[in-house]
Each structure stands twice: as structure tokens, then as C-alpha cells.
Amino acid sequence: MGTLIMLELKKLFFKKRILIVWAGSLLLSFVSIRAFSIEETYADIFSKGYGLAPLMGIVMFMIFSAAYTLEYSSNMSGLIKTTKNGKREIILAKSIAAGISASIINISVFLTVALSALTKFKFDGLNIPLKSLWYFGNSGSNITVIQMILITLLTIILGSFFFAQIGLFLSSISKSAAVPFIFGGLIMGLPYILEGFLSGIGLSKYLAFTPLWGMMSFQLIRYKSSTITPIILIIIFIVGLILLHKFTLKAFIKER
């Protein structure tokens, strides 16, 4: 299984176009942070971190979109299906590799933003509470900057694996890589697009139950989501991971 995961990682991740877009995202992440007061700069960790979510989505779904369509177009799917238990191992290896790839992409972007800000003040003020940062408005949260960064890193990993399963499932039922890229991107990006509209009519709190806000968990603090929201999101993620993996397996082994 370890060898299969490594092979899938190379196949999914190490492509010239993906590496170029990823490198561009990291550069943009670093230069997007400028030195103002410590509170304003640290607020930008979360403001710019969320603002870069569309770029994360583009790189992620570039990785996932062709995961199965390439197998179909090269007729490798037929060969894989003939191997004893091969199809199940391949699909599991793809799932793990895609989750790892997405986690690396998303964590690297968010960490670059965070480190760009923290190094400007030599890591001072890590215990500043979020309620002191403009981005969190009247949240009143006593969670500190470093605590929120660590929590976000954990939820980014969970969210990355969830979005990876969405991308793989869409790829497994599609003949074209464009379909999972477009629809996967919409699933991730709609909450980002809708936030501005819903904020104006006081309905933005309902975005708390979307996978994007679950992954970028500081949004839950910013909008003072209820304490049960994280529990519901964890259930959504776990159930989604299980069901999407099963649906992908079913779609792949289905005769075409």
C-alpha cells in the first residue's frame, strides 16, 4: 500500500503545471502580508488566509480532476479491474494520496501567510487574543493567535481530505477532467462568493455548515457560530469521507 500511495502521489502531484501554479500561490501568499501594527498584520493572517482559499481550490482540483479520467482514457481502468483486490487498493491509495497532496498544498499556503506575518515581528505577540484583531470584530474570543493558527492547520488537513474525496468522486463519474474541476471548484468556492451577499442580509451564519468554513475554521470564530457547529462539521466530514469513498469505488468498478 505504501508503494501504491507513493506512485499515486507522483502521478497526482508532480506535474509541471501544478508545481508552477503552486509556486505562484506561495509567492502571492508571502507578499500579500505587509508590516503594519502587530494587531493589523496578525489580523491579515486570517483575512488573507481566507482570501487565498480560491487559489487553494484551483490547485487542489487541478490535482483531482484527472485522477480517474486518465485511467479511463488510457484504458488502464480495465486492467486494474482484472487484478485481485487491485481496484480496492488502487482507489484507497488514490484517496490517501489525494488527501496528502491537498493537505500539503493548503497547509503550505496558509503557513506561508502566517510565517510572513509572524517573522515581521520576530514571533512576538503570539498570545494576542483574537478579539484584539479587526478581522474578528466583536467575536469576543479569547483564543490566541497561535492557538487559532494551530487549530486551523488541523482543520485544513481534515477539510483537504474531504475535498479530495469530492474531487475523486467527480473524476470517477466523468469522462472529462473539466467536469470535476468546475463542479468541485463550485462546491468549494460558492460559500466564498456568497459571503458578501449573505452578510448584507444577516444570513452569513448559515455558511458555518459548509466544508469551506469547516476547513478555514477561524471563520466560525469570526461569525460567532454556536458551540455545536464544530461537532456537526466533524460529523459531516467523517460521514462524507466514508460515503464519497464508497461512491467512488462503486463508480470505478461499474462496467463502462
Side-chain angles (χ1 to χ4, degrees):
M1 179 56 70
T3 302
L4 278 177
I5 293 172
M6 289 302 297
L7 290 172
E8 288 297 327
L9 273 173
K10 290 180 181 178
K11 193 191 303 182
L12 291 171
F13 195 60
F14 294 104
K15 295 175 181 173
K16 188 176 180 180
R17 58 191 173 86
I18 290 174
L19 295 177
I20 290 174
V21 178
W22 182 27
S25 301
L26 293 179
L27 178 63
L28 183 61
S29 304
F30 186 81
V31 300
S32 66
I33 300 294
R34 299 182 64 184
F36 301 107
S37 69
I38 190 169
E39 288 83 3
E40 288 191 19
T41 302
Y42 283 6
D44 265 2
I45 294 174
F46 306 101
S47 172
K48 299 293 173 54
Y50 186 62
L52 289 163
L55 268 180
M56 296 178 185
I58 288 173
V59 183
M60 272 200 300
F61 285 98
M62 283 176 68
I63 293 174
F64 311 144
S65 58
Y68 284 101
T69 54
L70 278 179
E71 308 287 10
Y72 298 146
S73 61
S74 63
N75 293 321
M76 283 299 293
S77 58
L79 181 62
I80 293 170
K81 290 174 188 175
T82 62
T83 60
K84 185 179 180 181
N85 296 323
K87 51 184 177 293
R88 292 183 183 278
E89 290 190 3
I90 285 289
I91 290 170
L92 181 58
K94 281 183 181 292
S95 297
I96 295 172
I100 292 173
S101 301
S103 298
I104 291 172
I105 293 291
N106 295 333
I107 283 177
S108 67
V109 171
F110 182 72
L111 262 186
T112 300
V113 171
L115 290 175
S116 179
L118 296 176
T119 53
K120 287 178 170 55
F121 298 93
K122 299 180 180 178
F123 294 89
D124 283 342
L126 294 176
N127 292 322
I128 292 175
L130 297 183
K131 62 185 178 185
S132 301
L133 309 183
W134 67 264
Y135 189 68
F136 292 92
N138 299 316
S139 71
S141 176
N142 287 316
I143 295 176
T144 64
V145 169
I146 188 62
Q147 287 173 338
M148 193 69 251
I149 290 173
L150 294 175
I151 291 170
T152 303
L153 292 176
L154 290 175
T155 55
I156 281 178
I157 293 173
L158 189 56
S160 297
F161 271 84
F162 182 80
F163 282 116
Q165 301 315 307
I166 290 177
L168 293 178
F169 170 65
L170 291 172
S171 182
S172 72
I173 60 173
S174 308
K175 293 181 179 179
S176 167
V179 175
F181 184 80
I182 293 171
F183 284 94
L186 283 175
I187 292 172
M188 180 174 177
L190 269 181
Y192 183 88
I193 296 170
L194 292 175
E195 183 181 346
F197 297 104
L198 296 180
S199 293
I201 54 177
L203 297 178
S204 55
K205 61 181 180 182
Y206 294 108
L207 295 175
F209 299 103
T210 62
L212 178 62
W213 280 32
M215 185 171 82
M216 310 304 278
S217 50
F218 49 80
Q219 288 294 103
L220 305 181
I221 304 298
R222 185 186 187 198
Y223 286 93
K224 300 174 68 173
S225 299
S226 63
T227 53
I228 198 172
T229 303
I231 298 172
I232 294 174
L233 282 168
I234 289 173
I235 294 173
I236 290 173
F237 279 152
I238 293 174
V239 173
L241 286 170
I242 295 170
L243 291 182
L244 286 166
H245 181 74
K246 287 186 175 181
F247 293 157
T248 301
L249 176 62
K250 186 176 181 180
F252 183 70
I253 63 177
K254 183 179 179 182
E255 293 296 334
R256 289 170 176 264

